[in-house]
Amino acid sequence: MELRHSRHSVSALQYHFVFCPKYRKPLLMPGIDTRLKLIIIDLAEFHNWDVQSLEVMPDHVHMLLAADPKWSCSEIMKWIKGKSSFLLRKEFPELKASIPAQLWTHSFYVASVGGTNEDVVKRYIENQRKEMKG
């Protein structure tokens, strides 16, 4: 896993996001899916996020993204959903006809992806005092 360096931190944070169009409608068809990928990649470059994997299905999106700890998962999703909804609905009027109010659901799935498992980290933390004495 690649470490990310900033002025105040060194991190290795990766997130698996899944998000869907409102009512899980299969709206992300060819053309729209490609444009959505470009919007996400442009946002990632602008905010210094690293999109490591991205797949757009007709009714949902999977994304593996690395970001500095200053970014909360909610902020990342706010940017991606907000900007993509605005641009996609402007460029593809049929989306506005299908879902008049908003493109995305309010919710999303996120899981952290680590280089090790929970048990290894717990043992490491629990053994710190033992290591200091020894």
Side-chain angles (χ1 to χ4, degrees):
M1 182 181 293
E2 186 178 318
L3 295 177
R4 297 173 63 83
H5 298 267
S6 72
R7 250 177 82 183
H8 303 287
S9 67
V10 177
S11 62
L13 298 173
Q14 293 177 293
Y15 303 106
H16 175 203
F17 288 100
V18 181
F19 55 103
C20 309
K22 191 87 170 167
Y23 311 117
R24 197 151 181 162
K25 284 191 173 186
L27 301 173
L28 307 174
M29 304 311 281
I32 296 171
D33 62 347
T34 303
R35 181 65 178 122
L36 176 58
K37 286 180 180 181
L38 291 173
I39 291 167
I40 292 171
I41 289 166
D42 285 347
L43 272 172
E45 285 179 15
F46 181 78
H47 291 295
N48 195 29
W49 306 328
D50 181 19
V51 176
Q52 298 173 334
S53 185
L54 176 60
E55 193 56 59
V56 178
M57 305 302 291
D59 66 347
H60 67 284
V61 178
H62 283 271
M63 177 175 59
L64 181 63
L65 182 140
D68 293 331
K70 72 178 183 176
W71 291 101
S72 72
C73 299
S74 295
E75 287 177 305
I76 292 168
M77 276 290 95
K78 183 179 93 174
W79 273 101
I80 289 173
K81 287 180 174 182
K83 188 72 166 183
S84 64
S85 179
F86 175 78
L87 292 174
L88 289 174
R89 288 161 49 87
K90 183 177 170 185
E91 296 170 23
F92 299 92
E94 63 270 24
L95 291 175
K96 214 170 191 174
S98 295
I99 301 179
Q102 62 193 47
L103 177 59
W104 305 110
T105 62
H106 289 291
S107 61
F108 61 91
Y109 166 85
V110 63
S112 60
V113 179
T116 187
N117 69 34
E118 181 181 347
D119 292 332
V120 171
V121 174
K122 281 182 181 178
R123 276 196 308 274
Y124 175 78
I125 292 169
E126 290 164 0
N127 287 324
Q128 287 304 294
R129 194 158 301 278
K130 293 175 192 171
E131 295 291 325
M132 202 170 100
K133 290 179 184 177

